Amino acid sequence: MISANNVTLRLGKRALFEEVNIKFTEGNCYGIIGANGAGKSTFLKILSGELDTTNGDIVITPGQRLSVLEQDHFKYDEYPVLDVVIMGNQRLYDIMKEKDAIYAKEDFSEEDGIRAGELETEFAEMDGWEADSNAATLLNGLGIPTELHYTLMKDLNGSEKVKVLLARALFGNPDILLLDEPTNHLDLDAIAWLEEFLINFDNTVIVVSHDRYFLNKICTHTCDIDYGKIQLYAGNYDFWYESSQLLIKQMKEANKKKEEKIKELQEFISRFSANASKSKQATSRKRALEKIELDTIKPSSRKYPYIDFRPDREIGNEVLSVEGISKTIDGVKVLDNISFNVGHDDKIAFVGGNELAKSTLFQILAGQMEPDEGTYKWGVTTSQAYFPKDFGTEFDNDYNITEWLTGYSPVKDVTYVRGFLGRMLFAGDDGVKRVKVLSGGEKVRCLLSKMMISGANCLIFDEPTNHLDMESISSLNTGLIKFPGVILFSCRDHQCVQTTANRIIEIMPNGTIIDKITTYDEYLESDEMARKRTVYTKTEDDED
């Protein structure tokens, strides 16, 4: 068990947390939610001991091991992948290294033998003989193939490093597991594996995530951070939302009844306070009036942008034709003879672990890259807007936000442009902020403003939920569902994919595709074995 006792944290004059009391018990998974800046990650750092509190303390049951998902992706660059995972249980790793050092000695002494025996006993008690296989199981489950287990961390790409660090946190059955945004940079298959792992995990899990589906799947409890307080709810994210909305509704109804009673008492007092025969009753009602207190209902600190993509023209029957597209990147064929047609009602989710293939296809269809082979053709009634996964160069300039968006607007009117920015929570002086100093989430909201202002009827999104908070993801999800045009997208948010897509195209590791008209959940269920194949070759049956 881990508990926060009267925890207060002040940053200057601001109290981020005030007298927080909460217990996290064994066998439960706690989702930490709250608006950006509410202090979710900071609270995890307090629990882990990385940050000191201003007042109060954190208490962990003696003898229990706490494991944290590391955020520094370069910390272990000089270590082999398998070693990094086993380091998740530092004591076990230290024993392994000390044993190896003793056995490597040329002058092996009696003292060395005694020490080696002690280490072997402790090593066996910690299930050390299974350490390599247990670490490999975690890595394979998260999508790190066996051939990478003995390479150095510095030789992995960013997504692979994230998976290794996650495996490190999960290794060795920790008593308390702290995970800050564990689904970031994971593909949907890896997220599904992690969900099952955490559902079957018997100890304490405390997780911060913006993925609503993920929280609904794994959480037994939800901790809502708002205005420096943490309110604990029994249940997952959806239960929290329903409960919190119900509580606000009940408080408003109670206040309404109290206000009616106040009005009734005030009218009686006003009418009969000067009447001698009614003076006692008027006095009694004054006392009753003084005792009535309205419940204080604070508005949530959460802010929801308004995301609404409105095409300037309807789309015709001919939308997009892709014929035999192939592309090789750095000697690897990521797209292999891909062909498909897009209809005017299609909202297609591109899934699978081949991140580079999806991004490459989107860049080709957006006209930013040429295929090695094959062709594609957009219909004459179509117009396209593209959201790239890597958008760093988009903001490498000295424009402020208003100037930047005006450059993409068909109407060069500041008031018109600021209307779009206001919907995306850029109000007042925010409009003159320089784009190059914006946070990741702010840049994403700028790009979504650019797509809204374009009036395009075909939208291409490459991982648009990266960097967004839960409120923005929810708003984007609603905007995608309402959009009357065509959408081609990849997304790590399961709920966005499930509620938006009516067709799934999975790009396989060998660069070919599986193409099904179905929802994402139905696809996962019906093609479970196909998803797990490492190689897929299209047959004539797949053309149906």
Side-chain angles (χ1 to χ4, degrees), residues 13-257:
K13 295 182 179 180
R14 179 192 174 201
L16 192 59
F17 298 110
E18 197 116 43
E19 295 184 356
V20 171
N21 289 280
I22 190 168
K23 290 182 179 179
F24 303 98
T25 56
E26 185 178 350
N28 291 314
C29 179
Y30 299 84
I32 309 292
I33 63 172
N36 270 5
K40 302 183 293 295
S41 296
T42 301
F43 186 62
L44 283 194
K45 289 178 180 178
I46 291 172
L47 292 176
S48 69
E50 185 179 342
L51 277 180
D52 291 329
T53 61
T54 306
N55 292 305
D57 53 17
I58 303 298
V59 178
I60 299 176
T61 301
Q64 292 200 336
R65 184 170 69 86
L66 182 144
S67 183
V68 179
L69 174 59
E70 294 270 7
Q71 301 296 318
D72 184 352
H73 298 173
F74 305 99
K75 184 175 181 179
Y76 302 100
D77 270 1
E78 300 305 319
Y79 291 90
V81 166
L82 207 64
D83 279 21
V84 173
V85 177
I86 297 173
M87 282 180 190
N89 188 336
Q90 191 62 47
R91 177 56 186 160
L92 176 61
Y93 184 76
D94 291 344
I95 290 172
M96 292 172 66
K97 290 305 175 184
E98 188 176 351
K99 279 200 317 152
D100 291 345
I102 291 175
Y103 292 139
K105 286 185 175 181
E106 294 182 3
D107 53 342
F108 191 85
S109 66
E110 183 179 349
E111 288 183 356
D112 289 331
I114 294 171
R115 178 58 180 162
E118 293 172 348
L119 292 172
E120 290 289 4
T121 299
E122 189 174 357
F123 183 72
E125 290 174 350
M126 299 180 74
D127 202 20
W129 296 111
E130 302 297 324
D132 282 6
S133 62
N134 290 340
T137 298
L138 291 171
L139 289 169
N140 289 331
L142 286 166
I144 302 295
T146 303
E147 58 266 25
L148 294 181
H149 292 187
Y150 297 94
T151 60
L152 295 180
M153 283 286 282
K154 67 182 179 182
D155 296 324
L156 302 185
N157 62 38
S159 177
E160 290 166 342
K161 284 184 177 182
V162 169
K163 292 179 178 180
V164 175
L165 293 177
L166 180 55
R168 178 188 182 279
L170 304 178
F171 178 76
N173 195 38
D175 300 290
I176 301 163
L177 183 56
L178 304 184
L179 302 175
D180 191 357
E181 298 293 355
T183 61
N184 277 4
H185 307 293
L186 294 187
D187 55 78
L188 289 166
D189 281 346
I191 294 173
W193 181 90
L194 179 60
E195 288 167 359
E196 290 304 312
F197 181 94
L198 295 177
I199 287 170
N200 295 306
F201 188 72
D202 293 329
N203 299 329
T204 304
V205 181
I206 306 172
V207 58
V208 170
S209 177
H210 290 140
D211 190 324
R212 300 157 295 166
Y213 182 89
F214 179 72
L215 292 176
N216 278 329
K217 285 278 284 189
I218 68 169
C219 289
T220 60
H221 296 73
T222 300
C223 304
D224 179 31
I225 301 179
D226 214 352
Y227 293 105
K229 303 294 182 182
I230 301 182
Q231 181 72 39
L232 179 64
Y233 295 81
N236 61 15
Y237 176 80
D238 281 350
F239 183 84
W240 159 79
Y241 184 79
E242 292 170 4
S243 299
S244 60
Q245 294 303 304
L246 179 61
L247 179 61
I248 292 172
K249 181 180 178 182
Q250 290 173 338
M251 291 175 68
K252 287 181 177 179
E253 289 175 351
N255 274 355
K256 185 177 180 180
K257 291 180 179 178

Side-chain angles (χ1 to χ4, degrees), residues 280-415:
K280 288 185 178 180
Q281 294 178 42
T283 301
S284 174
R285 282 166 171 73
K286 283 182 182 179
R287 294 195 190 101
L289 181 61
E290 290 169 356
K291 292 178 181 179
I292 298 176
E293 293 184 6
L294 296 177
D295 293 323
T296 301
I297 304 175
K298 280 188 175 182
S300 173
S301 58
R302 292 174 171 83
K303 294 181 179 180
Y304 291 82
Y306 179 69
I307 299 177
D308 187 21
F309 305 102
R310 296 184 183 182
D312 289 338
R313 63 181 296 184
E314 290 187 14
I315 201 165
N317 290 326
E318 294 185 6
V319 180
L320 173 65
S321 175
V322 176
E323 296 291 341
I325 282 184
S326 295
K327 185 70 179 179
T328 298
I329 305 287
D330 295 331
V332 178
K333 182 169 274 192
V334 295
L335 300 174
D336 186 9
N337 194 30
I338 287 179
S339 299
F340 60 90
N341 291 312
V342 177
H344 67 276
D345 292 323
D346 280 342
K347 293 184 178 180
I348 307 174
F350 289 78
V351 303
N354 199 337
E355 302 285 316
L356 179 59
K358 289 180 283 188
S359 294
T360 300
L361 178 62
F362 290 152
Q363 285 177 282
I364 290 172
L365 298 181
Q368 297 191 359
M369 182 184 291
E370 292 295 325
D372 296 334
E373 299 174 18
T375 61
Y376 69 93
K377 182 180 180 181
W378 289 99
V380 294
T381 62
T382 67
S383 55
Q384 302 84 42
Y386 170 53
F387 182 104
K389 180 191 290 186
D390 183 4
F391 47 74
T393 56
E394 181 79 57
F395 299 95
D396 188 16
N397 55 69
D398 289 322
Y399 292 128
N400 64 40
I401 297 177
T402 303
E403 292 168 341
W404 178 87
L405 187 58
T406 300
Y408 297 105
S409 174
V411 179
K412 306 300 182 183
D413 177 74
V414 172
T415 302

Side-chain angles (χ1 to χ4, degrees), residues 439-452:
S439 69
E442 288 173 326
K443 288 177 179 177
V444 170
R445 285 189 274 122
C446 280
L447 288 172
L448 294 175
S449 298
K450 173 186 170 184
M451 296 185 79
M452 287 194 295

Side-chain angles (χ1 to χ4, degrees), residues 7 11 73 98 169 172 248 335 380 474 495 506 523:
V7 165
L11 303 176
H73 298 173
E98 188 176 351
I248 292 172
L335 300 174
V380 294
S474 178
Q495 192 164 332
E506 179 170 6
Y523 180 74

